[in-house]
Amino acid sequence: MTLGKTTQAGALAFLLATVLPVATDAAPADGPPPASWRSVDPENLVLIDAKYGQVAVELAPQFAPNHAARVRALIRAHFYDGLSFYRVIDGFVAQGGIGEGTASTKDHPTEAKNLTQWPALKAEFDRASAPEPVFTPLGNADLMAPEVGFEDGFPVARDPKDKREWLIHCPGTFAFARDNDPDTATTEFYIVIGQAPRRLDRDLTAFGRVLSGMQYLQKLERGDPDVDSGVIGDIAKRDPIVRMRMAADVPAAERPEFQVLRTDSKDFTDAVEARRHPTSPFYFRKPPPVLDICGVPVPVKRAMP
Amino acid sequence: MTLGKTTQAGALAFLLATVLPVATDAAPADGPPPASWRSVDPENLVLIDAKYGQVAVELAPQFAPNHAARVRALIRAHFYDGLSFYRVIDGFVAQGGIGEGTASTKDHPTEAKNLTQWPALKAEFDRASAPEPVFTPLGNADLMAPEVGFEDGFPVARDPKDKREWLIHCPGTFAFARDNDPDTATTEFYIVIGQAPRRLDRDLTAFGRVLSGMQYLQKLERGDPDVDSGVIGDIAKRDPIVRMRMAADVPAAERPEFQVLRTDSKDFTDAVEARRHPTSPFYFRKPPPVLDICGVPVPVKRAMP
């Protein structure tokens, strides 16, 4: 066997076996037709300029309208600009905002960062289940919830008993931190950067997901989880939130546009079934026909105008 | 509520609710007693000097003796030194070695990198199940395997029908890449850096796990999964494998020493049950008493001599 041929073929087979044919940030020429894609509303698109690149987050106001309104207002007041990712725990979350327990009015003298104007929010952990066909079932059981699937591109769990549903904590999930009391979220957000911490489901208000830029969050300076809960004590070491903007406020000439494959489309369910039953010869042993809700990518396309 | 008190308490509660009291790289003063820890054999400890820091991997030769012998021989021949992480897919794997399809003898003229001396290995996807009490059951069902648990600190699945067991693909799992034919692994390794790709279980030879340094792998330059299977085409952009060593070959004065909490100890099973039934007041709603095998940390302590 020669190196070039064999190992290249191996890499290709390995990849085809494990990611969707349509992956983030680009669509192949033969991908799903335009009607199968949903354009992301710039009023729901948060752009985080981090140290290593831009992170795009789609908000899900349908799950947490008050939290979505709050984060839009914070962003428009420039609350986050110049703050930091002050608590970053490898394999768990990157938490950003004013800085737990270390901020003072002296550090942040501007009116926007005066916390008295951002009162605690009532929790929005779940909502009444959406009717079919908004919810597209994953098609197999889940370890943590009675039923899981997708809605508008977001991974969702629901309980047929109480007819409630909630966003799942997967890698890339965007949520607000809080105190012990459920109704205490104010300004601090976190984004999941590790193995899905599903035990947080329905216990924090999750209301968005990263569409692109996870790799820039993964580069952030980490805290030590054994010291001060992972808060990075040396403020100079915290990586900055350079700027956060709503895409709607970005001049059209520089506004990124995102499209998400409709999770209620046949193209999506076909892709899910192809993933469940891979036909690649790479699989010596066919994997069990069971998918992890957090391991199923929802395809995203980005186009600059 | 004041910022300092309230948000600090919130951060603490959030953390206590979600990680084990004993986390990586340090043990609290009141942690498990010495008898509950196992020292990592330096003959099984791989030290990868990556661009951003050192990654420590414990090999599991009991699961794949020929692959473990191969990687030790490659390391001792300095095969990997100066090579790169040439295929890094965010949320999936960092793959390292000579560089799929892009290496030539001109690039790597040394004898150690002559691939003819590293013939393909027979797959070691699984092994006969170890007797109890080596296997410590997780204590709940798994989505992908009949039974899951821990052996010697490694996450393991097993099938009581055929009495075979195998290492699980979790974040940090170390394995050898291969071609379509199962018996084609030679020199290339990968480490899982994203949501557990369990569909690869028992289809590739997994035989180690990262004990520390995941954050340095997360900083590696990424490839585009839509282009050439995520292989980074511009060789200058690939982050180097500066050096790989067996800890046994490192002078004692600079050899890191690791200990892993014995997963057959009461301290470990107590920690698992505490995680399954969290008592922190942070949980407004108690999570289901179900754990994800890849979300249960196995505590590690590092001590420099």
Side-chain angles (χ1 to χ4, degrees):
Chain A
M1 73 189 208
T2 63
L3 173 68
K5 178 179 172 295
T6 306
T7 57
Q8 189 65 20
L12 189 62
F14 186 24
L15 182 84
L16 289 175
T18 50
V19 301
L20 276 175
V22 181
T24 51
D25 289 355
D30 59 349
S36 295
W37 298 85
R38 170 179 64 80
S39 290
V40 174
D41 183 345
E43 276 293 333
N44 290 332
L45 185 59
V46 173
L47 303 174
I48 306 173
D49 290 343
K51 180 174 178 182
Y52 298 99
Q54 189 176 81
V55 181
V57 174
E58 182 177 12
L59 301 178
Q62 63 274 35
F63 281 86
N66 297 326
H67 282 71
R70 169 62 59 87
V71 81
R72 284 192 202 100
L74 285 160
I75 289 168
R76 287 178 162 139
H78 303 285
F79 175 83
Y80 295 110
D81 301 356
L83 297 180
S84 70
F85 291 98
Y86 57 85
R87 178 175 179 246
V88 185
I89 298 178
D90 190 75
F92 183 35
V93 296
Q95 188 165 327
I98 202 159
E100 303 272 341
T102 56
S104 72
T105 49
K106 188 169 78 51
D107 296 331
H108 301 295
T110 68
E111 180 58 23
K113 294 179 175 65
N114 180 344
L115 288 179
T116 60
Q117 68 182 300
W118 308 111
L121 293 162
K122 201 163 163 41
E124 297 176 297
F125 295 155
D126 56 17
R127 68 164 184 171
S129 289
E132 309 278 359
V134 175
F135 181 90
T136 301
L138 174 63
N140 59 246
D142 179 70
L143 264 188
M144 301 292 285
E147 198 175 9
V148 292
F150 295 91
E151 286 187 26
D152 300 320
F154 295 94
V156 169
R158 65 182 188 180
D159 186 344
K161 280 195 206 140
D162 64 10
K163 297 185 167 45
R164 307 286 293 176
E165 64 182 16
W166 55 94
L167 246 62
I168 288 173
H169 280 80
C170 291
T173 293
F174 178 93
F176 256 25
R178 62 164 172 85
D179 269 358
N180 280 347
D181 186 311
D183 302 324
T184 48
T186 55
T187 60
E188 310 301 283
F189 70 86
Y190 64 91
I191 299 174
V192 175
I193 59 169
Q195 181 75 7
R198 296 286 308 280
R199 63 212 317 250
L200 302 181
D201 286 359
R202 214 183 181 182
D203 242 332
L204 287 122
T205 299
F207 62 111
R209 77 173 184 110
V210 172
L211 299 184
S212 76
M214 280 300 293
Q215 69 272 36
Y216 306 127
L217 296 173
Q218 293 292 6
K219 290 192 179 197
L220 294 175
E221 177 73 19
R222 303 298 199 261
D224 179 346
D226 292 328
V227 177
D228 198 15
S229 312
V231 170
I232 301 167
D234 182 349
I235 292 179
K237 285 196 173 169
R238 298 176 182 176
D239 282 328
I241 299 169
V242 178
R243 179 171 64 168
M244 277 174 71
R245 290 176 297 173
M246 297 307 305
D249 303 337
V250 172
E254 57 170 295
R255 183 189 308 149
E257 292 178 4
F258 285 89
Q259 292 192 304
V260 175
L261 188 63
R262 291 182 188 278
T263 43
D264 58 355
S265 71
K266 185 169 182 303
D267 295 284
F268 180 72
T269 51
D270 284 354
V272 170
E273 291 316 304
R275 189 175 181 85
R276 189 192 310 279
H277 301 287
T279 56
S280 163
F282 183 79
Y283 285 98
F284 165 73
R285 180 183 279 110
K286 293 289 171 214
V290 177
L291 298 172
D292 166 10
I293 184 75
C294 290
V296 177
V298 175
V300 172
K301 287 195 296 188
R302 179 167 53 184
M304 290 299 290
Chain B
M1 74 189 205
T2 62
L3 173 67
K5 176 177 174 297
T6 306
T7 55
Q8 190 64 21
L12 189 62
F14 185 25
L15 180 85
L16 290 175
T18 50
V19 300
L20 276 175
V22 180
T24 51
D25 289 355
D30 58 348
S36 295
W37 298 85
R38 172 179 62 80
S39 291
V40 173
D41 183 344
E43 276 293 333
N44 290 333
L45 184 59
V46 174
L47 303 174
I48 306 173
D49 290 343
K51 181 175 175 182
Y52 298 99
Q54 188 175 80
V55 181
V57 174
E58 183 178 12
L59 301 178
Q62 64 273 37
F63 281 86
N66 297 327
H67 282 71
R70 170 63 58 88
V71 81
R72 283 191 203 102
L74 285 160
I75 289 169
R76 286 177 162 141
H78 303 283
F79 175 84
Y80 295 110
D81 301 355
L83 297 179
S84 70
F85 291 98
Y86 57 86
R87 178 177 179 244
V88 184
I89 299 178
D90 189 75
F92 183 36
V93 296
Q95 188 166 326
I98 201 158
E100 303 274 339
T102 56
S104 72
T105 48
K106 189 170 76 50
D107 295 331
H108 301 294
T110 67
E111 179 59 24
K113 294 179 175 64
N114 180 345
L115 289 179
T116 60
Q117 67 183 301
W118 309 110
L121 292 162
K122 201 164 164 43
E124 297 175 295
F125 296 155
D126 56 17
R127 69 164 184 171
S129 289
E132 309 278 1
V134 175
F135 181 91
T136 300
L138 174 62
N140 58 245
D142 179 71
L143 265 186
M144 301 293 285
E147 198 176 9
V148 291
F150 295 90
E151 284 186 28
D152 301 320
F154 296 93
V156 169
R158 65 182 189 180
D159 186 345
K161 279 194 207 141
D162 65 8
K163 298 187 168 40
R164 305 288 292 176
E165 64 182 14
W166 55 94
L167 246 62
I168 288 173
H169 280 81
C170 291
T173 293
F174 179 94
F176 256 26
R178 62 164 171 85
D179 269 359
N180 281 347
D181 186 311
D183 303 324
T184 48
T186 55
T187 60
E188 310 300 284
F189 69 88
Y190 64 91
I191 299 174
V192 175
I193 60 168
Q195 181 74 8
R198 297 286 308 278
R199 63 212 316 252
L200 303 181
D201 287 359
R202 213 182 181 185
D203 241 334
L204 288 121
T205 300
F207 62 111
R209 75 172 185 112
V210 172
L211 300 183
S212 76
M214 281 299 293
Q215 69 272 37
Y216 306 127
L217 296 173
Q218 293 292 6
K219 290 193 179 197
L220 293 175
E221 177 74 18
R222 303 298 200 259
D224 180 345
D226 291 328
V227 178
D228 198 15
S229 313
V231 170
I232 301 167
D234 181 350
I235 291 178
K237 286 197 172 168
R238 298 176 182 175
D239 282 327
I241 298 169
V242 178
R243 179 172 63 168
M244 278 174 70
R245 290 177 296 174
M246 296 308 304
D249 303 337
V250 172
E254 57 170 294
R255 184 189 307 152
E257 292 179 3
F258 285 89
Q259 291 191 305
V260 175
L261 188 64
R262 291 182 186 277
T263 44
D264 58 355
S265 71
K266 184 167 183 301
D267 295 285
F268 180 72
T269 51
D270 285 353
V272 170
E273 291 316 305
R275 190 176 182 84
R276 189 192 309 280
H277 301 287
T279 55
S280 162
F282 183 79
Y283 284 98
F284 165 74
R285 181 183 277 110
K286 292 288 170 216
V290 177
L291 298 172
D292 166 10
I293 184 77
C294 289
V296 177
V298 175
V300 172
K301 288 196 295 188
R302 181 167 52 185
M304 291 298 291

